[in-house]
Amino acid sequence: MKTGYRFILIAMLLLPTLLAKRVEYEWNLVYKNVNPDGLRERRIISINDQWPLEPVLIEVNDTLVLHVHNKLNEPTTIHAHGILQNNGSSIYDGAAMVTQCPIPPNYNFTYEFPVTQAGTFWIHSHFKVQYLDGFRLPLIVYDPNEPFEYDEDEIITVSDWYHEDSYTNLEKFMSRENGKKGAPIPQSGLINDHVNSSITFKPGKKYRLRLINMSGIASFAISIDGHDMTVIEVDGVLTQPTDTKTVYMAAGQRVSILVDTKSSTDLNYRFHAKIAPAMFATYPKDLEMNIEAPIYYDRQSPFAPRDGPKKGDYDDAYIFPLDEKPPLEPVDRQVRYALDFAVDKSDGILYGVMNGITYSPPLVPTLNTILTVESDELANNSLVYGGPETQVSIFELNQIVEVVIENLDFVPHPFHLHGHMFQVIERNKGRYHNKTSVAPRNPTYRDTIGIPSHGYVVLRFKADNPGAWIFHCHVDWHVPAGLALTFITAPSKAREMMMPLSQPFLDICHGSGLPAEGNAEGKSGPVLVGEETKSARSSGFLMGALIATLVGLSTVIWHVWVDPGYPTEEGEEGKDDEEESKKPLLASATKIDKN
């Protein structure tokens, strides 16, 4: 009898895995002209000639497979924002020059990874500021054992919108002429990727609204006339139910709210997404700040009066998890950074700096370096990953890491960590001054947090996910400007789990004319600090993406992003690798046959 019970218990434990599916998508990336704000048509990146992009909907424990066919005239990558890639799949994180080379034009590449987290996420390009060209979409991971009850489940995205393509705007931003004017200001705000979106409510129901801020810079205050909201999730983490009238969302953040609808259909209401002016260096006089979408109970009914200003109690640093966990301690290592912007006297361009250093990506993706240098000893030497400009910190497996960031800038900055979620130990105005933070009993647990202007945050995470991870400002303009760090977790363990680097990852580097192996410069041994370190910025990587002539051209010359001093290697295409066929998560990168 005991054996029978044991069998039933094992079967119940294995059931979620047995029910898991392999969900595959074929994505042909092609250009398309759209006009979502009704003011100006422009070219964007579509999937299968469709835009807005359809959300990816899966269930927890499914394996997501994205077959990407890059038919654009520019490189790209894909990042599942908020998915930790902690199942040996960190190679699929998609951060350009951190976990992979970008996918060149006319190449195919497959991302394949199990998704073991439930919640609200999104997918976007992680090459330069490319997702501002419309390449972003929701990713929803449903949990059949969801503890909250509701009748309807809806996705609502908010985003900013630019009339110029991202490369043109980036070139203007990263120029001497821009000086201290700050990041580009959008021309519109969108709800569900359109200025004329609408929402339908059924009476007497409980709705879960999954809110996703897919902006490049804009933060939003979300409210609904005549309705209260209850927060139940932030960044994929279920929270203790928190009632509020307004939810504040920085770029990259996600929030789920429960809303009880009215019993009557006599009135309609409005959904408000108010853009926060604090994110902009100058007040945008021509930008409509209060974006609205009608909520229809009955299209024949009149609208209720707009509510007055709402100031809720919601604080994105203090929304406590449903599954209570104490603060991570004791702290094994603390790393501190001061964030600011400064004009480089040599070129007159405004750069972001962390501890006075501007991040610049290496010529070889950092994860490639981990997996291809000659020894574990070298993989644990920060000098193989470049000079100070790659901003590398190496953490031992399972270390408790405390990160302190002081924002010396006059605008807030939302920071997002790949590969790990963090506890928010403290957020405050003023300077940190080596103070001892008193941690909440059950700290907020998330992956994106706003750092106030002239303030600081104290974060903690457990370095339990081997690989290379970028920690960066999610004002997308600020990453190429230099506001990024590289966190490397347990490089020896990463080598044990992921070596050898599979051929598709080598092919996309070769197809881009970039070195795929060795140290940050594609050589053996440590990088010689003292000489000018070759990096993706100094070699022309930055300028190669600034394609001001992108709009309207059928062919774009982007070869200048390749290091002019590095000889282009011929990629091996269509090569079968017996060892690679044994890997459970197999990527594929092939050149598209134009014939």
Side-chain angles (χ1 to χ4, degrees):
M1 184 66 92
K2 289 183 178 179
T3 302
Y5 282 129
R6 188 179 297 115
F7 176 81
I8 293 172
L9 178 61
I10 293 172
M12 291 177 66
L13 292 173
L14 291 176
L15 187 60
T17 303
L18 296 174
L19 294 177
K21 305 181 297 299
R22 179 182 168 90
V23 182
E24 297 192 54
Y25 288 84
E26 295 283 344
W27 282 1
N28 293 288
L29 307 185
V30 294
Y31 296 115
K32 185 180 182 69
N33 290 328
V34 300
N35 187 4
D37 66 355
L39 299 176
R40 178 176 173 178
E41 185 176 84
R42 58 154 297 189
R43 190 167 80 169
I44 53 86
I45 296 172
S46 74
I47 294 177
N48 302 331
D49 201 36
Q50 292 187 346
W51 198 91
L53 306 182
E54 291 290 326
V56 170
L57 309 176
I58 61 176
E59 290 190 344
V60 67
N61 295 317
D62 285 349
T63 294
L64 181 59
V65 185
L66 303 174
H67 301 289
V68 180
H69 311 284
N70 184 8
K71 298 182 179 181
L72 307 172
N73 296 321
E74 57 190 291
T76 192
T77 66
I78 289 175
H79 169 60
H81 181 116
I83 299 300
L84 300 181
Q85 305 291 7
N86 57 354
N87 297 281
S89 58
S90 62
I91 54 175
Y92 296 109
D93 187 56
M97 307 315 295
V98 179
T99 58
Q100 68 170 93
C101 288
I103 307 166
N106 300 315
Y107 270 70
N108 302 323
F109 188 83
T110 295
Y111 294 85
E112 180 177 347
F113 50 89
V115 180
T116 57
Q117 304 157 253
T120 306
F121 308 94
W122 59 303
I123 294 173
H124 61 81
S125 166
H126 216 293
F127 175 72
K128 296 305 172 186
V129 290
Q130 192 179 60
Y131 82 73
L132 297 178
D133 291 328
F135 194 7
R136 68 281 191 284
L137 63 149
L139 166 61
I140 307 302
V141 186
Y142 297 107
D143 183 356
N145 300 313
E146 171 70 54
F148 292 104
E149 295 183 356
Y150 41 87
D151 304 300
E152 306 287 341
D153 194 329
E154 301 287 346
I155 304 167
I156 299 179
T157 67
V158 293
S159 54
D160 45 27
W161 188 251
Y162 292 84
H163 290 166
E164 297 281 2
D165 67 89
S166 65
Y167 297 106
T168 299
N169 277 326
L170 184 57
E171 184 178 34
K172 291 177 181 177
F173 172 45
M174 301 295 295
S175 69
R176 179 186 296 270
E177 291 72 26
N178 188 60
K180 296 183 178 181
K181 295 178 183 177
I185 294 174
Q187 280 68 56
S188 297
L190 304 177
I191 297 172
N192 286 340
D193 277 325
H194 207 278
V195 74
N196 291 322
S197 296
S198 63
I199 301 165
T200 299
F201 274 179
K202 299 174 184 177
K205 300 291 185 180
K206 186 182 291 289
Y207 277 71
R208 178 178 184 165
L209 302 181
R210 298 176 183 264
L211 310 176
I212 308 173
N213 186 351
M214 303 194 302
S215 294
I217 187 171
S219 292
F220 287 88
I222 308 295
S223 63
I224 302 175
D225 289 341
H227 297 72
D228 290 335
M229 305 180 293
T230 301
V231 176
I232 60 165
E233 177 210 358
V234 295
D235 293 357
V237 177
L238 294 178
T239 68
Q240 297 177 8
T242 304
D243 295 334
T244 185
K245 296 184 181 297
T246 303
V247 167
Y248 303 97
M249 299 180 68
Q253 292 186 325
R254 296 89 63 208
V255 178
S256 280
I257 57 174
L258 295 180
V259 178
D260 290 315
T261 64
K262 306 292 185 183
S263 58
S264 168
T265 61
D266 292 345
L267 291 172
N268 296 316
Y269 298 84
R270 293 178 178 86
F271 176 96
H272 296 272
K274 188 173 182 180
I275 298 175
M279 294 304 301
F280 307 120
T282 58
Y283 189 84
K285 296 180 181 179
D286 298 328
L287 175 63
E288 175 57 55
M289 305 295 276
N290 188 21
I291 316 305
E292 296 181 347
I295 298 175
Y296 290 112
Y297 280 87
D298 183 340
R299 289 182 178 266
Q300 305 304 314
S301 298
F303 277 86
R306 290 177 173 82
D307 289 349
K310 294 184 177 183
K311 188 171 182 180
D313 296 327
Y314 176 83
D315 186 329
D316 69 330
Y318 300 101
I319 297 293
F320 304 118
L322 183 65
D323 181 13
E324 295 192 11
K325 292 182 180 179
L328 293 167
E329 52 189 20
V331 173
D332 298 307
R333 183 173 171 190
Q334 185 191 71
V335 288
R336 288 182 56 181
Y337 301 93
L339 175 166
D340 207 350
F341 269 84
V343 174
D344 188 326
K345 293 180 180 179
S346 65
D347 59 16
I349 295 175
L350 186 70
Y351 290 104
V353 294
M354 307 283 285
N355 290 351
I357 299 171
T358 296
Y359 171 81
S360 184
L363 278 177
V364 176
T366 302
L367 187 57
N368 288 37
T369 293
I370 293 174
L371 302 181
T372 63
V373 291
E374 298 89 329
S375 66
D376 278 11
E377 181 181 0
L378 276 175
N380 284 275
N381 183 344
S382 62
L383 292 179
V384 301
Y385 304 107
E389 72 281 352
T390 54
Q391 293 277 35
V392 166
S393 294
I394 300 176
F395 303 121
E396 297 176 10
L397 186 64
N398 294 323
Q399 272 192 322
I400 303 302
V401 180
E402 183 170 87
V403 182
V404 178
I405 299 183
E406 294 187 83
N407 180 9
L408 308 182
D409 197 16
F410 65 92
V411 297
H413 290 272
F415 262 68
H416 170 58
L417 177 60
H418 291 220
H420 303 82
M421 302 191 75
F422 49 73
Q423 293 180 333
V424 182
I425 301 301
E426 185 185 4
R427 181 171 65 184
N428 219 327
K429 297 289 284 185
R431 298 300 300 270
Y432 176 64
H433 292 307
N434 292 310
K435 63 179 292 187
T436 300
S437 300
V438 179
R441 179 177 57 84
N442 177 30
T444 298
Y445 192 53
R446 61 185 315 160
D447 58 56
T448 308
I449 189 68
I451 308 175
S453 58
H454 302 295
Y456 65 89
V457 294
V458 180
L459 313 173
R460 286 181 197 165
F461 69 92
K462 186 175 183 179
D464 56 2
N465 192 7
W469 310 105
I470 190 170
F471 182 41
H472 64 93
C473 180
H474 222 287
V475 172
D476 213 31
W477 307 105
H478 291 171
V479 179
L483 288 187
L485 306 166
T486 308
F487 289 169
I488 297 177
T489 298
S492 296
K493 185 66 176 178
R495 288 165 63 85
E496 177 186 321
M497 295 169 60
M498 290 180 271
M499 286 178 65
L501 185 63
S502 63
Q503 190 64 41
F505 288 89
L506 304 176
D507 289 344
I508 56 177
C509 291
H510 296 154
S512 301
L514 290 170
E517 302 172 87
N519 67 22
E521 295 182 337
K523 302 175 182 177
S524 61
V527 171
L528 298 177
V529 178
E531 300 178 2
E532 181 182 355
T533 303
K534 283 186 181 178
S535 68
R537 184 185 303 280
S538 64
S539 68
F541 184 94
L542 178 65
M543 292 308 299
L546 306 181
I547 311 172
T549 57
L550 184 64
V551 176
L553 295 181
S554 60
T555 302
V556 175
I557 298 173
W558 56 277
H559 68 272
V560 290
W561 84 308
V562 179
D563 175 20
Y566 181 82
T568 301
E569 297 182 42
E570 293 295 325
E572 297 179 3
E573 299 160 6
K575 183 177 180 180
D576 292 327
D577 189 320
E578 182 179 352
E579 289 301 313
E580 291 305 319
S581 67
K582 298 176 183 178
K583 290 200 169 191
L585 298 176
L586 183 63
S588 63
T590 57
K591 189 102 177 270
I592 295 174
D593 186 356
K594 294 182 178 180
N595 299 320

